[in-house]
């Protein structure tokens, strides 16, 4: 929780639940956050005023949503972000650029990196703008009274990039974004290859409870369960990369069993409890 309290920092989070994600961030932090949010939410008049002044939202236009190839200019957004950081205010951005309910990190846009680099260049204070990763891990993002683990990492270390020479600022922002992705993935149950998600999800269901009992963790130990699941994912991905045929029979048996279990109407339950 202490990593949520840096002044003049940019917080980056995954975005599995459009409405609840910013609420969770705001509830978890002691200090005020300013949210970079898609401009199409804002509207005009009183609604825009409320979003900007009461909800601390900064509008950003998403080029891929523009109709008829209409060009957008987010210069005002960058300028406003620089001003906030100069005043030691805190920003939060969802660099995936949209909300889709998956447990892993999707491809990131470069906005967070560009804000950091632009602010450090324009402020001329010599002070680094920290970027802090947040991982929102829902047990079920679409059902009430389910658990969510909010993981907040330490500020991301960019020091190895400072001395590198890049072709242009676009390449620099790309390299910084890759480093941001690494920091965010560490806070999530991240899967390297989406096509492995079904197998990994099934193996996680099969093994987590048994492994928690084996190492003496309580059923309600959310952090312990998260760490166990991370280890399972790492192991399965390692086997998949080096010896995929070793998993094939297990994969077939799991899918067959889960299919028969769900056919009986038990979709809401863990088939391995």
């Amino acid at each position: 929780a202490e990593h949520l309290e840096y002044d003049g920092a940019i917080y980056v989070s995954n975005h599995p639940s459009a409405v609840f994600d910013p609420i969770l961030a705001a509830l978890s932090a002691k200090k005020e956050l300013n949210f970079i949010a898609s401009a199409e939410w804002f509207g005009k008049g009183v609604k825009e005023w409320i979003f900007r002044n009461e909800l601390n939202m900064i509008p950003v236009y998403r080029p891929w949503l523009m109709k008829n190839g209409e060009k957008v200019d987010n210069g005002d957004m960058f300028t406003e972000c620089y001003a906030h950081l100069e005043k030691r205010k805190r920003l939060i951005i969802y660099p995936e650029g949209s909300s889709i309910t998956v447990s892993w990190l999707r491809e990131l846009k470069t906005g967070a990196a560009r804000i950091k680099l632009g602010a450090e260049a324009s402020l001329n204070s010599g002070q680094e703008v920290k970027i802090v990763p947040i991982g929102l891990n829902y047990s079920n993002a679409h059902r009430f009274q389910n658990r969510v683990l909010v993981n907040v990492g330490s500020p991301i270390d960019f020091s190895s990039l400072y001395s590198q020479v890049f072709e242009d600022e676009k390449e620099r922002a790309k390299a910084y974004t890759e480093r941001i992705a690494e920091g965010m993935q560490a806070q999530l149950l991240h899967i390297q290859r989406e096509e492995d998600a079904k197998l990994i999800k099934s193996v996680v269901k099969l093994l987590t409870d048994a492994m928690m009992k084996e190492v003496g963790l309580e059923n309600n130990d959310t952090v312990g369960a998260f760490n166990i699941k991370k280890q399972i994912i790492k192991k399965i991905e390692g086997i998949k990369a080096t010896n995929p045929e070793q998993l094939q029979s297990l994969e077939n048996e799991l899918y067959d069993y889960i299919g028969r279990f769900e056919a009986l109407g038990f979709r809401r339950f863990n088939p391995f409890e």
Side-chain angles (χ1 to χ4, degrees):
E2 66 273 12
H3 294 310
L4 275 173
E5 307 308 323
Y6 293 107
D7 292 327
I10 302 169
Y11 290 87
V12 288
S13 174
N14 62 314
H15 207 9
S17 180
V19 175
F20 281 102
D21 296 344
I23 294 173
L24 277 171
L27 288 173
S28 301
K30 295 177 182 178
K31 299 177 182 178
E32 197 172 76
L33 291 168
N34 295 270
F35 301 88
I36 300 174
S38 54
E40 60 264 26
W41 285 79
F42 280 66
K44 296 181 179 180
V46 173
K47 182 181 178 182
E48 182 184 14
W49 186 91
I50 291 173
F51 276 31
R52 282 182 172 275
N53 296 282
E54 296 298 319
L55 301 180
N56 300 337
M57 293 167 71
I58 301 170
V60 59
Y61 292 95
R62 299 185 288 181
W64 59 93
L65 293 181
M66 296 296 106
K67 297 178 180 179
N68 303 319
E70 180 183 353
K71 292 186 177 181
V72 297
D73 181 5
N74 279 312
D76 290 343
M77 181 274 294
F78 282 101
T79 300
E80 191 169 349
C81 288
Y82 300 161
H84 275 50
L85 293 170
E86 186 173 21
K87 296 175 183 176
R88 309 296 294 157
K89 293 185 178 181
R90 297 127 50 77
L91 304 174
I92 184 165
I93 185 171
Y94 299 89
E96 292 170 310
S98 62
S99 178
I100 298 177
T101 306
V102 294
S103 61
W104 56 88
L105 187 70
R106 295 177 287 124
E107 184 178 355
L108 303 188
K109 312 300 181 187
T110 59
R114 291 166 62 199
I115 293 170
K116 169 186 168 65
L117 292 168
E120 290 174 345
S122 66
L123 300 181
N124 293 318
S125 63
Q127 184 169 342
E128 180 187 16
V129 174
K130 291 182 173 65
I131 294 187
V132 180
I134 299 175
L136 301 177
N137 299 274
Y138 293 88
S139 58
N140 188 325
H142 296 294
R143 195 183 301 163
F144 284 110
Q145 295 185 337
N146 273 257
R147 293 181 178 181
V148 57
L149 175 64
V150 182
N151 275 338
V152 186
S154 56
I156 295 169
D157 182 8
F158 296 97
S159 59
S160 64
L161 299 178
Y162 295 158
S163 59
Q164 285 193 28
V165 177
F166 297 96
E167 290 183 11
D168 51 32
E169 287 306 304
K170 185 176 180 180
E171 286 300 311
R172 185 186 301 275
K174 183 179 178 182
Y176 274 65
T177 300
E178 290 172 357
R179 187 63 53 85
I180 292 169
E182 292 170 4
M184 295 177 70
Q185 288 167 5
Q187 314 309 319
L188 297 167
L189 296 175
H190 180 71
I191 296 170
Q192 295 294 339
R193 302 190 333 152
E194 190 173 336
E195 56 264 37
D196 295 335
K198 183 179 178 182
L199 170 63
I200 288 173
K201 183 178 179 181
S202 298
V203 178
V204 165
K205 279 185 177 181
L206 171 65
L207 293 179
T208 300
D209 288 347
M211 290 182 67
M212 288 183 69
K213 290 177 183 176
E214 191 172 311
V215 298
L217 296 176
E218 299 293 332
N219 287 337
N220 61 355
D221 187 339
T222 308
V223 176
F226 175 85
N227 291 328
I228 291 286
K229 290 173 182 177
K230 287 281 282 187
Q231 292 301 315
I232 294 172
I233 291 170
K234 182 179 179 180
K235 185 67 174 179
I236 292 297
E237 289 186 329
I239 296 173
K240 188 84 173 181
T242 59
N243 194 10
E245 61 276 6
Q246 186 179 348
L247 290 177
Q248 193 59 57
S249 61
L250 173 63
E251 193 170 351
N252 294 339
E253 285 189 61
L254 282 173
Y255 293 168
D256 178 62
Y257 171 72
I258 292 170
R260 287 186 285 117
F261 181 87
E262 292 182 345
L264 293 171
F266 297 121
R267 290 179 176 272
R268 293 181 59 188
F269 301 93
N270 182 348
F272 303 109
E273 286 182 346

